[in-house]
Amino acid sequence: SAVISQKPSRDICQRGTSLTIQCQVDSQVTMMFWYRQQPGQSLTLIATANQGSEATYESGFVIDKFPISRPNLTFSTLTVSNMSPEDSSIYLCSASRRSSYEQYFGPGTRLTVT
Amino acid sequence: TQLLEQSPQFLSIQEGENLTVYCNSSSVFSSLQWYRQEPGEGPVLLVTVVTGGEVKKLKRLTFQFGDARKDSSLHITAAQPGDTGLYLCAGEGYLTSGTYKYIFGTGTRLKVLA
């Protein structure tokens, strides 16, 4: 298993600003993923972060808006840039080891944009 | 585009009743996972099924992967209030880069009444 922490746990931000969310895993993992979730709804994948290469973004998400870093095998960041109220959501990171078919989630970051 | 449809979307039952949640797709997945999520927390992995036709049991929960690896079901026997939560299935798919990602189902919100 893996234990994942996220910072911040929640934030209230003003329109037009940017927020960087940090995701730390307690052990080395192959893949890290970033998701967005509206309360009570399912998860939407934003991008896949592979160490040593650029993140792979899903349709509807672009690097300029959601830049991602993956500097090593235990850490990743997601930045939400030039925020608008439509970016208000819960942002979740997860980590996975291919060999175990398992995926573990952080507690999420609740973002409110005013 | 790979989609996973879950049914039912909402389910409210009395303690002690049985229930089945379905996860269906037209796409084939390498593996399929089931998660339970409670408010304010990240999803928690319940099980991963890998082989077509596979059946796994976790106490009162029974998971089945379809023979064609396109669908899955979760059956709960004698539901308890502690089973209340958002149940999510997630299928593993491959990216053109050779890495992989998870596609989440639409979710089933379960409430078990005491």
Side-chain angles (χ1 to χ4, degrees):
Chain A
S1 65
V3 177
I4 300 173
S5 58
Q6 280 185 239
K7 289 194 296 186
S9 59
R10 58 177 62 229
D11 207 341
I12 301 173
C13 302
Q14 289 197 341
R15 178 195 303 260
T17 62
S18 297
L19 176 72
T20 295
I21 303 169
Q22 299 180 6
C23 180
Q24 179 73 54
V25 190
D26 68 342
S27 56
Q28 293 184 349
V29 291
T30 310
M31 302 290 291
M32 296 183 74
F33 305 91
W34 287 96
Y35 296 88
R36 187 166 70 182
Q37 182 181 33
Q38 297 296 336
Q41 297 185 21
S42 187
L43 280 67
T44 299
L45 180 65
I46 297 172
T48 302
N50 198 9
Q51 194 264 337
S53 61
E54 289 204 2
T56 301
Y57 289 82
E58 294 296 298
S59 176
F61 298 96
V62 295
I63 188 171
D64 289 346
K65 175 68 176 177
F66 297 100
I68 288 171
S69 76
R70 177 86 195 272
N72 56 53
L73 292 174
T74 63
F75 186 78
S76 179
T77 67
L78 169 74
T79 299
V80 186
S81 303
N82 189 24
M83 288 184 286
S84 67
E86 292 70 36
D87 295 319
S88 296
S89 190
I90 300 167
Y91 292 84
L92 293 149
C93 74
S94 73
S96 173
R97 295 191 184 94
R98 183 64 182 90
S99 59
S100 64
Y101 296 100
E102 296 177 344
Q103 181 178 204
Y104 300 95
F105 281 85
T109 296
R110 183 179 290 270
L111 171 63
T112 302
V113 183
T114 60
Chain B
T1 303
Q2 294 174 304
L3 295 174
L4 275 167
E5 294 286 338
Q6 286 184 236
S7 62
Q9 187 178 359
F10 299 98
L11 192 55
S12 180
I13 60 173
Q14 294 292 325
E15 182 177 5
E17 292 183 4
N18 301 333
L19 68 118
T20 301
V21 178
Y22 298 94
C23 175
N24 295 300
S25 176
S26 58
S27 302
V28 176
F29 293 100
S30 304
S31 68
L32 194 136
Q33 303 171 338
W34 284 93
Y35 296 82
R36 181 171 65 219
Q37 185 181 25
E38 299 188 30
E41 300 180 5
V44 174
L45 179 67
L46 297 173
V47 78
T48 301
V49 285
V50 179
T51 305
E54 182 177 5
V55 177
K56 280 192 175 179
K57 292 191 176 183
L58 184 66
K59 296 183 180 178
R60 294 176 294 101
L61 278 61
T62 302
F63 305 86
Q64 185 164 6
F65 201 13
D67 291 340
R69 291 186 287 131
K70 293 182 179 181
D71 55 83
S72 181
S73 64
L74 157 62
H75 182 78
I76 301 179
T77 303
Q80 299 176 359
D83 296 326
T84 294
L86 178 65
Y87 286 82
L88 298 160
C89 64
E92 178 187 339
Y94 283 93
L95 300 173
T96 54
S97 59
T99 56
Y100 59 95
K101 65 179 181 181
Y102 297 97
I103 304 298
F104 274 79
T106 48
T108 295
R109 181 162 296 282
L110 171 65
K111 186 170 186 178
V112 182
L113 305 170

